[in-house]
Amino acid sequence: MSKSRFRIAVLAGDGIGVEVMAAALEVVETLAEHVGGMGFDMLPVVGGARAYTETGQALSETAWEDAEAADAILFGAMGLPDVRYPDGTEIQPQLDLRARLDLYAGVRPVRSIPGLPSPLADVRAADIDFTIVREQTEGIFWSYGRGKREGNQVAEDTIRVSRPATERIVDFAQATALKRKGAGRPGKLTLVDKANVLGSMAFMRQIFEERSKRKPELRSEATYIDAAALGLVKKPWDYDVIVTENQFGDILSDIGAALIGGMGFAPSADIGDDHALFQPCHGSAPDIMGTGKANPTAMLLSAAMMLDWLGERHGHAKTSEAARVLEDAVRATYAATGLVPFELGGRAGTAEITKAVKQQITGR
Ligand code: ATP
């Protein structure tokens, strides 16, 4: 029998991470009751900048073990601008989690939500629906903690592109595009690189082209990062799945978030072969913490991604169904209620949006 009870490590973290996480836990509980056939053991795990101030550790060894032992990790946001390590860098255990749990694929869906204002005048903005798959173990971020400095004169960071990491991210992106094709999307995969300037990126493109031959059922194309930046603003509805280097993915996913209303609408998943972490794309937003203005949408959509991943991984149809119910409920909320989050100049805060999504789920 497939597994139906899941242990979730809940790392709420700092700032609005705590607020949107509370919303997600409430909604997942409602969902589990409404859809039925599944259960969750939510294990709170302490970590982040506040934890660092209180204990001297951003994530304790026990916290690591809890995260590693869980079926999935639900993550709010970590880091506060005035809490830093002695070398001046920010507390970002999410980067360590990615490295230590080998969460190599950053999955960032960008899908417009009906009923919300768009920054684009074109009516086709309602059709935006693409997913960015970001390589998360190398690229230019490989230099994190490894950069070279020659006194006060020169600083160097190195881009690393390896065959195994590139093959596995391209394969992951192809699987993503095929899954979407099965759900009616066009089955198109776009590599974004800078192969005209950098040897590392030309190598990435070579591997992409090799792997593309194995999947003739997908339309594979490659484009330069500058062209992609233009294309994502000019005709974002043309993209299906984008696969790209670490830093390019970081930047393009913020453009993606802007296209659908802002950081509060952009969910994400960090996926490896053995572990997965689900978190909104936004950070701890200390400017609005404690005001009740945080938009929980991105966190709720991230929770839906978690349910989808758990359902597929464990072959548990009810959990997959719960993922669809949650995503549909979030997507239906704005058009049905006319709520406009503070983030878009409206008056709807965390509590009101959470309540409205729960009503969509239960039909009450
Ligand atoms: P990080 O560096 O961790 O990404 P940051 O503070 O630079 O953190 P975010 O926390 O992502 O960036 O937020 C940038 C701004 O966007 C915030 O200051 C906040 O005003 C707004 N914002 C982010 N997330 C939300 C949200 N869920 N709801 C409303 N506004 C948000």
Side-chain angles (χ1 to χ4, degrees):
M1 233 182 73
S2 67
K3 181 165 175 157
S4 61
R5 190 158 192 96
F6 304 101
R7 192 175 168 80
I8 311 297
V10 177
L11 283 80
D14 299 304
I16 66 164
V18 178
E19 300 163 30
V20 296
M21 181 63 81
L25 296 183
E26 213 181 301
V27 168
V28 170
E29 195 184 314
T30 303
L31 195 64
E33 273 167 26
H34 183 74
V35 176
M38 80 202 80
F40 298 95
D41 296 314
M42 298 292 188
L43 177 71
V45 177
V46 175
R50 205 164 30 95
Y52 179 78
T53 327
E54 286 162 11
T55 67
Q57 275 183 308
L59 271 185
S60 68
E61 210 36 52
T62 323
W64 274 109
E65 284 162 16
D66 287 341
E68 213 161 353
D71 291 308
I73 303 165
L74 206 49
F75 189 101
M78 288 189 186
L80 291 170
D82 48 350
V83 183
R84 307 243 166 185
Y85 290 121
D87 70 355
T89 58
E90 266 192 55
I91 314 285
Q92 303 191 71
Q94 51 274 45
L95 294 186
D96 303 323
L97 276 161
R98 270 181 208 159
R100 191 157 153 179
L101 302 181
D102 198 20
L103 307 174
Y104 60 86
V107 182
R108 313 279 174 90
V110 177
R111 193 173 176 205
S112 46
I113 297 176
L116 290 174
S118 164
L120 303 178
D122 197 302
V123 289
R124 287 171 293 178
D127 302 332
I128 296 172
D129 181 359
F130 62 90
T131 292
I132 297 172
V133 176
R134 164 185 174 190
E135 202 293 321
Q136 299 203 132
T137 65
E138 47 182 39
I140 187 72
F141 284 10
W142 181 80
S143 268
Y144 178 62
R146 293 188 178 96
K148 287 192 201 131
R149 176 97 182 241
E150 287 170 29
N152 226 6
Q153 299 302 313
V154 180
E156 276 180 16
D157 291 313
T158 305
I159 299 179
R160 180 186 166 88
V161 172
S162 72
R163 175 171 284 280
T166 307
E167 286 183 351
R168 78 175 170 175
I169 201 67
V170 171
D171 292 353
F172 186 99
Q174 288 177 333
T176 305
L178 284 171
K179 183 176 172 192
R180 286 168 57 89
K181 192 176 179 188
R185 297 292 302 154
K188 184 166 96 168
L189 181 58
T190 307
L191 170 74
V192 174
D193 64 27
K194 195 66 186 169
N196 51 340
V197 176
L198 299 168
S200 56
M201 299 270 157
F203 182 48
M204 189 173 206
R205 189 175 284 208
Q206 177 199 319
I207 296 168
F208 176 77
E209 284 167 358
E210 286 167 21
R211 299 309 263 193
S212 298
K213 292 201 184 93
R214 298 172 163 217
K215 291 280 180 283
E217 60 274 46
L218 291 175
R219 196 145 46 92
S220 299
E221 59 175 32
T223 186
Y224 302 131
I225 178 66
D226 41 335
L230 179 90
L232 279 181
V233 176
K234 230 178 146 191
K235 46 179 179 59
W237 41 85
D238 267 8
Y239 293 87
D240 183 12
V241 177
I242 290 173
V243 60
T244 190
E245 179 271 344
N246 209 338
Q247 187 183 33
F248 291 166
D250 189 26
I251 298 167
L252 292 183
S253 56
D254 271 26
I255 297 183
L259 290 170
I260 53 163
M263 298 307 288
F265 296 95
S268 84
D270 293 338
I271 296 185
D273 290 333
D274 302 317
H275 303 278
L277 179 154
F278 301 84
Q279 64 169 327
C281 286
H282 62 77
S284 60
D287 56 329
I288 55 163
M289 74 188 210
T291 63
K293 292 182 179 175
N295 179 0
T297 308
M299 182 79 237
L300 298 179
L301 290 172
S302 304
M305 291 178 80
M306 177 185 80
L307 297 171
D308 184 57
W309 183 81
L310 283 170
E312 193 169 319
R313 186 173 174 83
H314 297 281
H316 192 247
K318 276 284 178 190
T319 309
S320 301
E321 183 189 332
R324 282 192 300 276
V325 171
L326 177 50
E327 192 188 345
D328 290 350
V330 173
R331 293 181 55 73
T333 292
Y334 294 100
T337 60
L339 289 179
V340 180
F342 280 98
E343 193 180 7
L344 287 171
R347 310 292 308 160
T350 321
E352 204 178 345
I353 296 169
T354 307
K355 187 171 164 207
V357 171
K358 280 166 59 178
Q359 282 170 341
Q360 285 293 324
I361 292 170
T362 57
R364 274 181 269 130

